[in-house]
């Protein structure tokens, strides 16, 4: 970690020690989430868009994980790529060699088994699914027999935040939540193709319904009216659900520019929170912002990402990786210099 970032990290940890108890006891943590997720299909092919926002440096590295590679003492039969946070067990996003994608977002109302009572902790769920499931159906069955316990997030001041998960393959999209303390999941079919943060999925879906209804009811006289809402968790969920509902209702247009990949990046743009516009003051005085954003083309097993400090879209084609022979690698996603294609007036 660079020296200036390390010093800032220590300062923020001190601030957290002073502020956390009062703020957490006041129940204000429910306002502190900002990651967003959307999935949809174009011509029967599935795409995913996701943002990772945080008020602090989360140490994200793009990792290539071979078959059988151990992370925190655990492994599986399938290889994958993903976003690993420093050298911890936390993987927040990934795609495996069979085309299974999983994204984890904060859900503060999550309840797990006590630490030491489960098979894996909630930061290990993404890696566990990617290494052991060839489909969403297999992922669901795997998680139904896996007990999940709580833990602290080392790269986030040892906070215990909680997560829920969006899992997607060619055929099925689900949301997985842990809300009853049993260690076992509640599974929801992701009927609107969206996940945000608190509250849990059923309540988010209920809150979004009026916006979905308004979007699908637009007529020739009102088609130009679009309410983006604000950046709160409920509003982000509703906005994205309305976008997906509108698309399902009206169908794809004939504009060649509106292809699946282009739509996925357009949705990514709509989800991103601009730096210095939102804050988790109970964690850090710094602004909450997009750290990375990713797009997944499930059909072609392509994983794209870009970072807050670099607009370049980077691509990993999993079909070009032999996960039986590839070596484990980890690349700091924030250390790549941007590149630009210059276009002359003659072109």
């Amino acid at each position: 970690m660079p020296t200036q970032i390390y010093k800032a990290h220590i300062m923020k940890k001190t601030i957290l020690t002073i502020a956390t108890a009062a703020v957490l006891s006041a129940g204000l943590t429910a306002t502190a989430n900002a990651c967003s997720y959307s999935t949809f299909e174009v011509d029967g092919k599935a795409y995913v868009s996701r943002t990772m926002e945080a008020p602090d440096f989360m140490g994200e590295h793009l990792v290539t994980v071979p078959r059988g590679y151990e992370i925190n003492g655990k492994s599986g039969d399938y290889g994958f790529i993903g976003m690993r946070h420093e050298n911890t067990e936390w993987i927040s996003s990934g795609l495996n060699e069979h085309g299974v994608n999983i994204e984890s977002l904060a859900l503060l109302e999550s309840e797990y088994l006590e630490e030491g009572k489960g098979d894996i902790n909630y930061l290990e769920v993404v890696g566990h699914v990617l290494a052991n499931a060839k489909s969403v159906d297999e992922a669901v069955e795997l998680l139904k027999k896996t007990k999940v316990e709580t833990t602290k997030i080392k790269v986030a001041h040892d906070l215990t935040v909680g997560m829920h998960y969006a899992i997607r393959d060619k055929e099925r999209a689900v949301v997985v939540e842990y809300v009853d303390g049993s260690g076992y999941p509640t599974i929801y079919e992701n009927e609107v193709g969206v996940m945000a943060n608190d509250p849990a999925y059923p309540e988010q879906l209920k809150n979004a319904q009026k916006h979905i209804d308004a979007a699908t009811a637009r007529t020739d006289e009102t088609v130009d009216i679009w309410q983006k809402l604000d950046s709160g968790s409920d509003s982000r969920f509703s906005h994205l659900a309305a976008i997906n509902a509108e698309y399902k209702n009206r169908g794809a247009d004939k504009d060649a520019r509106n292809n699946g990949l282009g739509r996925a990046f357009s949705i990514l743009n709509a989800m991103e929170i601009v730096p210095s516009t939102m804050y988790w003051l109970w964690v850090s005085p710094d602004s909450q912002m997009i750290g990375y954003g990713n797009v997944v083309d499930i059909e072609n097993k392509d994983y794209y990402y870009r970072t807050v400090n670099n607009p370049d879209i980077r691509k990993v084609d999993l079909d070009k990786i032999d996960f039986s022979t590839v070596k484990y690698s980890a690349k700091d996603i924030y250390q790549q210099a941007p590149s630009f294609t210059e276009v002359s007036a003659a072109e």
Side-chain angles (χ1 to χ4, degrees), residues 47-100:
Y47 299 85
V48 167
S49 302
R50 180 260 169 83
T51 62
M52 162 64 94
E53 278 93 7
D56 205 355
F57 182 68
M58 293 294 183
E60 294 98 329
H61 286 66
L62 177 74
V63 292
T64 301
V65 181
R67 297 171 188 164
Y69 185 85
E70 288 191 3
I71 295 178
N72 207 29
K74 302 173 182 67
S75 63
D77 293 335
Y78 311 132
F80 62 90
I81 62 98
M83 291 294 180
R84 184 176 181 179
H85 296 263
E86 294 185 356
N87 192 31
T88 71
E89 75 273 35
W90 183 21
I91 296 173
S92 56
S93 167
L95 178 67
N96 75 12
E97 60 180 300
H98 295 287
V100 176

Side-chain angles (χ1 to χ4, degrees), residues 213-225 246 249-250:
D213 293 343
T216 55
R218 291 196 294 169
T219 67
D220 289 343
E221 288 73 33
T222 61
V223 72
D224 59 334
I225 299 172
E246 177 87 340
N249 182 52
R250 294 180 178 272

Side-chain angles (χ1 to χ4, degrees), residues 87 164 174 207 219 225 236 294 305 308 326 339:
N87 192 31
H164 56 172
V174 299
N207 294 340
T219 67
I225 299 172
R236 283 183 285 109
N294 64 276
Y305 70 96
V308 65
V326 70
S339 62

Side-chain angles (χ1 to χ4, degrees), residues 6-242:
Y6 177 77
K7 288 180 178 178
H9 177 81
I10 296 299
M11 182 179 295
K12 292 166 191 170
K13 197 163 187 176
T14 302
I15 293 171
L16 178 71
T17 302
I18 297 171
T20 298
V23 177
L24 294 186
S25 63
L28 299 180
T29 55
T31 67
N33 305 289
C35 297
S36 301
Y37 167 95
S38 177
T39 184
F40 62 92
E41 296 180 9
V42 172
D43 297 328
K45 298 177 181 179
Y47 299 85
V48 167
S49 302
R50 180 260 169 83
T51 62
M52 162 64 94
E53 278 93 7
D56 205 355
F57 182 68
M58 293 294 183
E60 294 98 329
H61 286 66
L62 177 74
V63 292
T64 301
V65 181
R67 297 171 188 164
Y69 185 85
E70 288 191 3
I71 295 178
N72 207 29
K74 302 173 182 67
S75 63
D77 293 335
Y78 311 132
F80 62 90
I81 62 98
M83 291 294 180
R84 184 176 181 179
H85 296 263
E86 294 185 356
N87 192 31
T88 71
E89 75 273 35
W90 183 21
I91 296 173
S92 56
S93 167
L95 178 67
N96 75 12
E97 60 180 300
H98 295 287
V100 176
N101 164 249
I102 177 169
E103 308 287 341
S104 68
L105 280 68
L107 181 67
L108 297 178
E109 63 183 75
S110 299
E111 293 186 19
Y112 307 95
L113 290 173
E114 293 180 16
E115 195 158 15
K117 301 290 187 180
D119 302 310
I120 62 174
N121 67 53
Y122 68 87
L123 299 180
E124 296 175 308
V125 168
V126 171
H128 186 55
V129 167
L130 293 173
N132 293 283
K134 295 171 67 174
S135 66
V136 170
D137 290 347
E138 286 192 9
V140 168
E141 293 308 308
L142 175 70
L143 293 177
K144 283 182 177 179
K145 59 185 181 183
T146 304
K147 293 183 293 183
V148 177
E149 65 186 36
T150 190
T151 192
K152 295 178 180 179
I153 304 178
K154 296 176 183 177
V155 297
H157 310 296
D158 284 335
L159 290 172
T160 301
V161 176
M163 302 284 170
H164 56 172
Y165 311 88
I167 312 178
R168 173 88 225 212
D169 63 10
K170 291 181 181 180
E171 308 296 334
R172 188 181 179 192
V174 299
V175 169
V176 178
E177 296 184 338
Y178 295 82
V179 293
D180 63 5
S182 70
Y184 292 108
T186 301
I187 312 292
Y188 304 100
E189 298 300 321
N190 197 351
E191 57 188 271
V192 296
V194 178
M195 191 170 76
N197 306 106
D198 292 74
Y201 185 79
E203 187 66 22
Q204 287 277 29
L205 193 60
K206 178 181 176 182
N207 294 340
Q209 193 58 54
K210 65 181 180 181
H211 301 285
I212 295 171
D213 293 343
T216 55
R218 291 196 294 169
T219 67
D220 289 343
E221 288 73 33
T222 61
V223 72
D224 59 334
I225 299 172
W226 184 257
Q227 177 60 48
K228 186 176 180 180
L229 306 172
D230 59 44
S231 59
S233 181
D234 282 352
S235 293
R236 283 183 285 109
F237 187 103
S238 297
H239 180 215
L240 295 170

